[in-house]
Amino acid sequence: MTQRPVIVVGGGMTGLAAAWELQSQGVPYVLLEAGDNLGGKVQTLHTEDGFLVERAADAFILGKPYALELAREVGLEPELIHPRPETKRLYFLKGGRLLDFPRELKMFVPLDDDAFRESGVLSPEGTERFLAEVDVPPKAPTDEDESLASFMSRRFGEEALNFIVPMAAGIYVANPHELSMQAAFPQFLKMEQDHGSLIRGSRATPRAQGPIFGSFRDGMNALPQAVAARLTGDIRLKTRVAQVRPDGVRLEGGTELRGRAVLVTVPAWHAAPMLAAHFPDAAARVGELNANGSVAVTLAYRADQIPFDMNTHGLQVDASEGIAMTAVTVHSSKLAGRAPEGAVLLRVFFKNTDPQEAVRLAPKEVARLFGAQGEPLHHFVADWRGQNPAYRVGHLKRVAGIQAALPEQVRVAGASFTGVGIPDCVNAGRVAARAVVGQLG
């Protein structure tokens, strides 16, 4: 008798990783994707004149090994590249001026007091309060969650948020007063308890050797493409799931597929209605998870249009600057092969902004900050409004409640639940698949 498959709902990085794990363990599976391509938000565009445009992530962190491990397994490691160290310079936009980013930082934590003082990213008073973090006693151990804003202002002072938020909350496109420390930055909570101070802990912890980030020669989409090319199971595109059932799924149109288990790897806003008919409690809990929005505009220029030295990875914007723009990444300097010789490629990030307004503002900001002249050669818009998972305070308890409200053979996994980065999504898919295999015996 043929074994019923495990059904994987969603063909983003989490779903692909889950399918790969099932295949590696010899478990039959069906992967169902509503769209006409795999990879989810990991999308790379190539223009005829030689630009490589990323719509979402342009790299992944190597400190979490899961994406690199998957790349090795699917034969993609020879295509791995790293940000160029010679163009590593960063700027901080404050008061309309581009300041050099502080030297000797580990994320946002200074390893050298004098270098931080010289940077001018905070007022003299704010700088001294920031550095006095070493004298702030740790909070008593507790299971209670805390927001990023509460934690950072408690340890580094109120003004420090203007400097920390663009880096820390920017990863999650989040409101710092809502973002959960337990879900987003548990390493800092642990460091506070272990060392009594983030500055002390960062200086006591050896820096990782080698590059911190990786990407691929042909863009980030190379990873989902490589995984998909190695999958031998039943992959169905343009197949939308209407209901998740205890024994499978029901597709739009009424067709039912029976499975031994179901892994739901789509974002929360798609998962909730799928679960509603048979798992109303879980669906209601999933529906309580929030999302934030962002828009990114990628601009291409001839190098002679920009008089500024663009050998930089980009800039972060002080949180108090009062503008919609949050950051700029100079892809042509950051990573090899992103623009043809004699050209510059930048991505300008905005808060939850109307895409047409973002397209209007992006060249104006590039002209104001870098002196760009004339119209860009290209512009591309990535509209992620309402599509960035928001980990509010108490997020981990909510996620535990969701899984507890589902039977063992039905699992949710992915960026809405346990981490937004590509390594997090890969790990989430593989962990969910292993749990199902273990439960199936």
Side-chain angles (χ1 to χ4, degrees):
M1 180 175 164
T2 305
Q3 233 180 31
R4 281 187 293 156
V6 172
I7 298 173
V8 180
V9 181
M13 279 312 313
T14 304
L16 289 169
W20 177 255
E21 182 66 29
L22 293 168
Q23 180 170 300
S24 300
Q25 299 206 32
V27 176
Y29 61 89
V30 178
L31 189 152
L32 307 174
E33 165 55 42
D36 56 7
N37 56 68
L38 299 169
K41 291 172 76 172
V42 184
Q43 301 170 19
T44 305
L45 310 174
H46 297 266
T47 70
E48 291 183 357
D49 52 349
F51 291 97
L52 186 157
V53 178
E54 302 283 16
R55 298 199 71 239
D58 65 358
F60 59 96
I61 194 164
L62 298 170
K64 295 179 178 180
Y66 316 112
L68 182 57
E69 288 171 354
L70 181 60
R72 284 188 182 126
E73 291 174 25
V74 297
L76 197 58
E77 191 175 16
E79 297 301 306
L80 185 69
I81 63 171
H82 305 290
R84 293 166 162 166
E86 70 275 15
T87 61
K88 201 171 156 180
R89 186 173 187 175
L90 279 170
Y91 293 99
F92 190 67
L93 178 63
K94 179 178 181 178
R97 295 173 53 231
L98 288 178
L99 307 176
D100 283 324
F101 223 70
R103 294 179 289 108
E104 297 298 319
L105 283 186
K106 190 184 278 188
M107 195 170 179
F108 57 83
V109 181
L111 303 181
D112 182 298
D113 287 4
D114 290 337
F116 192 72
R117 287 188 178 102
E118 291 166 10
S119 70
V121 295
L122 297 177
S123 70
E125 297 77 18
T127 297
E128 294 311 314
R129 172 62 183 88
F130 196 105
L131 295 173
E133 188 267 349
V134 293
D135 300 320
V136 176
K139 191 175 184 179
T142 175
D143 290 334
E144 289 300 309
D145 201 357
E146 186 174 9
S147 74
L148 174 75
S150 168
F151 179 87
M152 294 302 174
S153 59
R154 175 169 63 78
R155 294 223 54 86
F156 293 96
E158 289 291 334
E159 188 185 338
L161 289 179
N162 296 333
F163 176 65
I164 293 172
V165 163
M167 288 173 283
I171 298 167
Y172 290 87
V173 197
N175 179 338
H177 296 279
E178 296 179 351
L179 182 61
S180 159
M181 285 295 294
Q182 288 181 351
F185 299 108
Q187 72 272 29
F188 294 134
L189 294 173
K190 185 175 188 303
M191 189 175 286
E192 180 187 30
Q193 295 302 318
D194 291 350
H195 296 273
S197 155
L198 269 62
I199 292 178
R200 194 179 298 122
S202 295
R203 294 177 182 182
T205 308
R207 269 189 162 173
Q209 297 301 304
I212 297 172
F213 294 97
S215 187
F216 300 103
R217 206 175 311 281
D218 288 331
M220 285 304 304
N221 192 240
L223 182 58
Q225 286 182 343
V227 176
R230 297 283 297 273
L231 292 178
T232 57
D234 187 353
I235 313 283
R236 306 186 193 182
L237 300 178
K238 298 182 181 178
T239 306
R240 193 174 295 275
V241 172
Q243 290 180 8
V244 173
R245 306 163 62 92
D247 61 348
V249 299
R250 182 178 183 181
L251 306 180
E252 277 194 356
T255 302
E256 292 186 5
L257 298 179
R258 296 190 68 202
R260 301 165 74 196
V262 183
L263 300 181
V264 182
T265 72
V266 296
W269 47 93
H270 292 310
M274 292 179 186
L275 296 167
H278 295 275
F279 312 105
D281 183 21
R285 292 170 184 267
V286 172
E288 291 174 358
L289 300 182
N290 287 9
N292 293 315
S294 64
V295 173
V297 180
T298 302
L299 302 173
Y301 292 89
R302 297 189 318 275
D304 62 17
Q305 289 181 267
I306 304 181
F308 194 90
D309 180 2
M310 298 306 287
N311 284 311
T312 169
H313 284 188
L315 64 86
Q316 298 277 357
V317 179
D318 185 286
S320 66
E321 196 69 4
I323 60 176
M325 185 181 74
T326 58
V328 176
T329 302
V330 185
H331 282 189
S332 48
S333 292
K334 182 179 177 182
L335 292 158
R338 272 44 189 169
E341 192 69 29
V344 176
L345 187 71
L346 314 94
R347 187 155 52 152
V348 186
F349 295 88
F350 293 90
K351 299 169 188 174
N352 201 20
T353 302
D354 178 82
Q356 289 185 333
E357 178 67 0
V359 169
R360 186 185 72 81
L361 289 172
K364 288 182 178 295
E365 292 290 3
V366 174
R368 174 172 76 98
L369 298 170
F370 304 123
Q373 300 161 0
E375 294 297 314
L377 305 175
H378 300 289
H379 74 264
F380 305 89
V381 184
D383 182 3
W384 301 120
R385 288 175 298 168
Q387 297 183 63
N388 298 310
Y391 295 170
R392 289 176 297 135
V393 171
H395 179 78
L396 295 186
K397 288 183 179 177
R398 291 188 195 92
V399 171
I402 290 165
Q403 196 56 64
L406 291 168
E408 282 190 327
Q409 75 274 18
V410 177
R411 293 185 174 269
V412 294
S416 288
F417 308 99
T418 54
V420 299
I422 289 176
D424 295 305
C425 292
V426 169
N427 187 49
R430 300 191 83 155
V431 166
R434 288 174 195 141
V436 160
V437 170
Q439 183 258 328
L440 295 174

